[in-house]
């Protein structure tokens, strides 16, 4: 293969990897996730470039050893998108899509164009389908229990006001004390779609400490 043909092949693979990663990243971008269009596209591009180089420019040894480090290396990027706050974890799906686009980039870099297209198609269809099912599940009201640490009792008014603004009904409320710490125990009726929004609103209220889901 001539040098021109080699670099033309390299360009085509990088371009396809960039497009496939961007497609999945666009869905994350539209959902307002921390890693979106640019992040996914560049991860796929980088995985493609490293795989191509490891396959074409390794003179001795296992050519897959360099590309194998992508799998472990991309884990650090995925971990950066996972957030833990007040007993809740966010960003696992985005971390998973980062892992998937790295695999897509590796497949393109290795020349498996059809396989990479199939994985991209399956991933984007699954993400779109899961978003539809999530929206439909948000219509159903379910019981939800919380224990909220109070740094001062005035925070109870802020909690009740927040619940009222979100249209969430309180079915039971009581105060409890444990090891000198005062908690308000709440049983409410809410939807899965409102739960995350409720947690974000509660964490902004002054006088609230730890929030525990029961």
């Amino acid at each position: 293969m001539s040098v021109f043909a080699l670099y033309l092949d390299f360009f085509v693979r990088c371009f396809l990897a960039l497009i496939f990663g961007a497609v999945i990243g666009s869905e994350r971008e539209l959902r307002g996730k921390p890693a979106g269009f640019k992040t996914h596209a560049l991860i796929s591009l980088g995985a493609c470039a490293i795989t191509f180089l490891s396959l074409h420019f390794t003179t001795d040894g296992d050519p897959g050893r360099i590309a194998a480090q992508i799998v472990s290396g991309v884990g650090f990027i995925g971990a950066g998108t996972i957030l833990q706050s007040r007993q809740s974890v966010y960003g696992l799906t985005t971390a998973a899509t980062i892992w998937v686009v790295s695999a897509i980039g590796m497949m393109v870099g290795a020349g498996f164009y059809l396989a990479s297209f199939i994985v991209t198609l399956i991933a984007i269809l699954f993400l779109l389908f899961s978003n539809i099912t999530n929206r439909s599940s948000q219509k159903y009201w379910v019981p939800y229990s919380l224990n909220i640490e109070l740094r001062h009792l005035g925070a109870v008014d802020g909690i009740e006001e927040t619940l009222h603004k979100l249209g969430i009904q309180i079915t039971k409320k009581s105060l409890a004390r444990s090891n000198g710490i005062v908690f308000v125990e709440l049983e409410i009726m809410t939807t899965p779609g409102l739960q995350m929004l409720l947690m974000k609103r509660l964490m902004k209220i002054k006088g609230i400490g730890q929030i525990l889901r029961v």
Side-chain angles (χ1 to χ4, degrees):
M1 181 183 292
S2 67
V3 175
F4 175 78
L6 179 65
Y7 279 98
L8 178 61
D9 183 32
F10 178 63
F11 172 79
V12 171
R13 296 187 191 197
C14 287
F15 180 75
L16 286 176
L18 191 73
I19 294 299
F20 290 158
V23 168
I24 296 177
S26 296
E27 188 277 340
R28 296 284 86 193
E29 187 88 24
L30 292 174
R31 296 276 294 165
K33 303 304 179 181
F37 174 83
K38 292 184 289 185
T39 302
H40 285 76
L42 290 174
I43 288 173
S44 182
L45 173 62
C48 173
I50 294 172
T51 302
F52 184 88
L53 292 173
S54 66
L55 291 175
H56 288 80
F57 297 98
T58 302
T59 56
D60 54 2
D62 182 7
R65 289 185 65 185
I66 299 176
Q69 303 309 310
I70 298 172
V71 178
S72 56
V74 78
F76 290 98
I77 302 176
T81 67
I82 301 174
L83 304 175
Q84 183 176 5
S85 177
R86 304 291 181 90
Q87 309 300 315
S88 297
V89 179
Y90 310 99
L92 287 174
T93 301
T94 301
T97 58
I98 286 175
W99 187 64
V100 170
V101 296
S102 69
I104 291 171
M106 293 177 69
M107 284 188 287
V108 176
F112 296 100
Y113 304 126
L114 180 59
S116 60
F117 173 76
I118 291 173
V119 173
T120 303
L121 183 62
I122 292 173
I124 196 66
L125 289 177
F126 175 77
L127 288 170
L128 293 174
F129 175 76
S130 63
N131 289 338
I132 292 173
T133 56
N134 284 341
R135 284 196 294 268
S136 63
S137 67
Q138 291 175 2
K139 300 177 182 179
Y140 301 97
W141 294 84
V142 294
Y144 197 65
S145 299
L146 293 171
N147 278 357
I148 305 175
E149 178 187 349
L150 300 176
R151 291 172 180 164
H152 61 76
L153 293 179
V156 175
D157 294 334
I159 295 171
E160 293 180 345
E161 183 180 356
T162 298
L163 294 172
H164 178 73
K165 287 182 178 179
L166 293 175
I168 296 174
Q169 179 184 358
I170 301 175
T171 57
K172 184 179 179 181
K173 181 183 72 173
S174 61
L175 292 177
R177 184 183 296 273
S178 176
N179 297 325
I181 301 175
V182 178
F183 290 88
V184 58
E185 299 177 350
L186 294 175
E187 292 183 9
I188 58 178
M189 294 296 294
T190 183
T191 66
L194 282 176
Q195 289 175 10
M196 184 177 296
L197 178 59
L198 172 62
M199 296 297 286
K200 290 180 179 179
R201 295 276 183 92
L202 290 177
M203 287 187 289
K204 293 180 179 179
I205 299 176
K206 293 182 178 180
I208 285 183
Q210 192 174 24
I211 302 176
L212 301 176
R213 293 172 55 180
V214 181

